[in-house]
Amino acid sequence: MHLRRNPRHVGLAVAALLVSACSAGASTSSATSAAHVALAALPRSTPAALTPYYEQKARWRSCGVPGFECATLKAPLDYDKPAGEEVRLAVARKKATGPGERLGSLFVNPGGPGGSAIGYLQAYAGIGYPAAVRARYDMVAVDPRGVARSEPVECLDGRDMDTYTQTDTTPDDARERSELVDAYKKFAEGCGAHSPQLLRHVSTVETARDMDIVRAALGDAKLNYVGASYGTFLGATYAGLFPGRSGRLVLDGAMDPSLPARRLNLDQTAGFETAFQSFAKDCVQQSDCPLGRKGTSTAQVGQNLKAFFRKLDAHPIPAGDADGRRLGEALATTGVIAAMYDEGAWAQLREALNSAMKENDGAGLLVLSDSYYERDADGRYSNLMSANAAVNCLDLPPAYDTPEEVEKAVPTFEKASPVFGEGLAWASLNCAYWPVGATGEPHRIEARGAAPIVVVGTTRDPATPYRWARSLAAQLTSARLLTYEGDGHTAYGRGSACIDSAIDTYLLRGTPPTDGKRCS
């Protein structure tokens, strides 16, 4: 079972993200007016200054992973100054296996922002997508600028990241609030020191333009694409900029680009609460549920988990970690939220909670938290969290500018989620201290003239609430909304034959599902 994590909104490193979500200190009225602005399409013709980029040819080489090959292409660092500095884009593909007529390239992106598309291709999409799709398409991935193999943004080393991820995000007093603010500032300062120029040019719009350069370099007249979570925002942005070059686009676990970050963060908080309630209902039916038994209400299950978090806040427990980390409230909360992305992880979460609550052993929850942050056993982190913040804080201004604003918002977040609300409210503060000002704002994406676009929403998706899929489908003029009535984050390739069949038919035949089709 693959786990598409995205958008990351929990914990310090992912505060205030969503659809690139750090929307900011924007007032409700200004955000509302901004949402009336639609993303404008770029001119159909390629500007002369960009011609050298569009005329590149990929020189493929071995990736070291059997069946895959890699190349490096270039794009301008600043599209307003195409003759200036360049960024190197890492590209990977697995060629169509046949039989059947080749349909071109199928780009994939797992979301994040900050997730490695190449890692996703090599670990899952290139081997796990339906055989019929892999037979007809060259499977292609581009690590976005600032991510993984494409000139990664770096902020903190492993030891400092350990400190960062353990910082208390439910401050009880002025000292703890100050420590939280200092942690956000140190993270932001690290990003600014290590990647000062790149940090200004990792927006979703720039990444979408990069994808068009790669499309041209591969010889495809149109872009065919499957994007998950934040990858839906990237795909929709591409369609908005290049509607005439948009081919078969699937946007799974859709995000709503028209919302300001405050609303995005609050919606996602409610999404995690919806997912937790599903987990709680299932948990009390199981003999090994440590949070209640059959007949225990979901509200009581939540109170029991919250009480456990409070105990950890006061007294972290051993976690069998070679670097001496103990399981406190911050890491435990991240571990629980990580399991909300996939109902297949619920049994693992019950086991981890049992060990922590009954045996004073936090190792299981630490494993879940480390998987979320992409921390390996040697204490090294991928650049997921650095890139996540860099993109989010550039795409939209911060949700909150001061700790005082967050304090006022905490009751609203706690109403949306009694279990996670307080921590997610404080996690919305990180972009306030970012060293680079935001260049984006909330906007609609209409993509007038684009071919049919399939927008997929899951009714109990924790990270991309179903309402976002409905909203994006209403914005895109050629959208077809496909609904999965179920749990977990995203729907394609997660066990629904109805969803998989509808998407496979679209990718292979170009026939989109009927708008409003529902699967379970």
Side-chain angles (χ1 to χ4, degrees), residues 276-297:
F276 177 75
Q277 290 179 8
S278 288
F279 164 76
K281 290 175 183 177
D282 178 80
C283 186
V284 298
Q285 302 300 317
Q286 310 301 324
S287 61
D288 63 343
C289 181
L291 297 171
R293 58 187 180 182
K294 194 170 184 178
T296 304
S297 68

Side-chain angles (χ1 to χ4, degrees), residues 9-48:
H9 169 84
V10 66
L12 281 169
V14 270
L17 58 98
L18 313 193
V19 171
S20 322
C22 295
S23 158
S27 67
T28 302
S29 59
S30 63
T32 301
S33 61
H36 289 296
V37 176
L39 182 66
L42 292 171
R44 290 177 178 268
S45 59
T46 301

Side-chain angles (χ1 to χ4, degrees), residues 9 63 83-84 107 112 123 133 143 149-150 158 244-245 265 281 304 368 376 430 488:
H9 169 84
C63 283
F107 287 64
V133 173
D143 276 353
R149 297 164 178 84
S150 293
R245 300 175 192 169
N265 293 346
K281 290 175 183 177
N304 294 342
L368 284 167
D376 68 20
N430 75 326

Side-chain angles (χ1 to χ4, degrees), residues 388-427:
N388 182 279
V391 175
N392 287 330
C393 297
L394 194 62
D395 274 351
L396 290 172
Y400 297 99
D401 292 322
T402 66
E404 291 74 23
E405 289 180 355
V406 175
E407 284 186 286
K408 292 179 182 178
V410 165
T412 303
F413 276 77
E414 289 185 315
K415 183 177 180 180
S417 175
V419 177
F420 305 118
E422 182 183 6
L424 294 181
W426 282 102

Side-chain angles (χ1 to χ4, degrees), residues 145-505:
R145 54 173 64 201
V147 174
R149 297 164 178 84
S150 293
E151 303 200 16
V153 170
E154 301 291 351
C155 299
L156 301 177
D157 63 19
R159 186 178 297 275
D160 284 339
M161 278 297 296
D162 279 347
T163 301
Y164 184 63
T165 58
Q166 294 176 80
T167 304
D168 187 358
T169 53
T170 58
D172 299 317
D173 52 36
R175 178 184 60 80
E176 291 186 349
R177 286 193 296 275
S178 179
E179 289 175 353
L180 180 59
V181 168
D182 287 345
Y184 286 139
K185 288 180 177 179
K186 182 174 181 179
F187 185 86
E189 289 167 359
C191 294
H194 291 130
S195 308
Q197 291 301 112
L198 183 62
L199 217 58
R200 302 176 185 277
H201 297 288
V202 292
S203 70
T204 299
V205 166
E206 287 163 314
T207 294
R209 298 187 71 171
D210 293 345
M211 282 206 305
D212 197 52
I213 286 175
V214 178
R215 172 204 59 78
L218 299 187
D220 290 291
K222 294 193 174 186
L223 182 88
N224 301 309
Y225 174 87
V226 178
S229 196
Y230 163 81
T232 67
F233 179 47
L234 177 58
T237 299
Y238 181 90
L241 295 173
F242 305 104
R245 300 175 192 169
S246 298
R248 300 172 188 179
L249 270 58
V250 177
L251 309 180
D252 182 15
M255 306 191 74
D256 183 356
S258 72
L259 297 178
R262 291 188 187 186
R263 172 63 184 276
L264 288 166
N265 293 346
L266 192 60
D267 280 359
Q268 196 181 48
T269 299
F272 278 110
E273 181 65 23
T274 297
F276 177 75
Q277 290 179 8
S278 288
F279 164 76
K281 290 175 183 177
D282 178 80
C283 186
V284 298
Q285 302 300 317
Q286 310 301 324
S287 61
D288 63 343
C289 181
L291 297 171
R293 58 187 180 182
K294 194 170 184 178
T296 304
S297 68
T298 56
Q300 186 60 54
V301 171
Q303 290 172 20
N304 294 342
L305 180 61
K306 189 70 174 175
F308 172 61
F309 287 160
R310 284 196 294 269
K311 286 181 62 176
L312 293 178
D313 188 26
H315 302 289
I317 62 176
D321 180 59
D323 295 315
R325 291 178 301 159
R326 296 171 68 86
L327 184 79
E329 181 182 19
L331 292 176
T333 302
T334 302
V336 172
I337 284 184
M340 295 298 101
Y341 281 81
D342 185 348
E343 68 274 26
W346 290 356
Q348 180 184 357
L349 176 58
R350 293 196 306 274
E351 181 180 357
L353 286 169
N354 268 306
S355 295
M357 298 174 73
K358 297 179 180 179
E359 301 172 18
N360 211 45
D361 179 3
L365 284 171
L366 186 62
V367 166
L368 284 167
S369 178
D370 283 352
S371 71
Y372 187 88
Y373 286 126
E374 294 192 359
R375 181 194 192 271
D376 68 20
D378 294 324
R380 294 186 298 259
Y381 289 77
S382 76
N383 93 307
L384 170 66
M385 291 297 130
S386 299
N388 182 279
V391 175
N392 287 330
C393 297
L394 194 62
D395 274 351
L396 290 172
Y400 297 99
D401 292 322
T402 66
E404 291 74 23
E405 289 180 355
V406 175
E407 284 186 286
K408 292 179 182 178
V410 165
T412 303
F413 276 77
E414 289 185 315
K415 183 177 180 180
S417 175
V419 177
F420 305 118
E422 182 183 6
L424 294 181
W426 282 102
S428 302
L429 185 62
N430 75 326
C431 287
Y433 307 104
W434 204 243
V436 175
T439 57
E441 63 178 4
H443 58 269
R444 296 188 337 275
I445 300 178
E446 298 174 351
R448 294 184 181 276
I453 299 172
V454 176
V455 176
V456 188
T458 297
T459 54
R460 294 186 295 278
D461 191 315
T464 52
Y466 179 62
R467 67 168 66 183
W468 292 356
R470 289 187 299 178
S471 179
L472 181 60
Q475 294 169 47
L476 294 167
T477 56
S478 62
R480 304 289 189 274
L481 178 62
L482 176 63
T483 298
Y484 174 55
E485 297 177 349
D487 296 294
H489 183 39
T490 73
Y492 185 42
R494 299 191 69 253
S496 169
C498 174
I499 290 288
D500 292 353
S501 176
I503 292 175
D504 291 346
T505 297

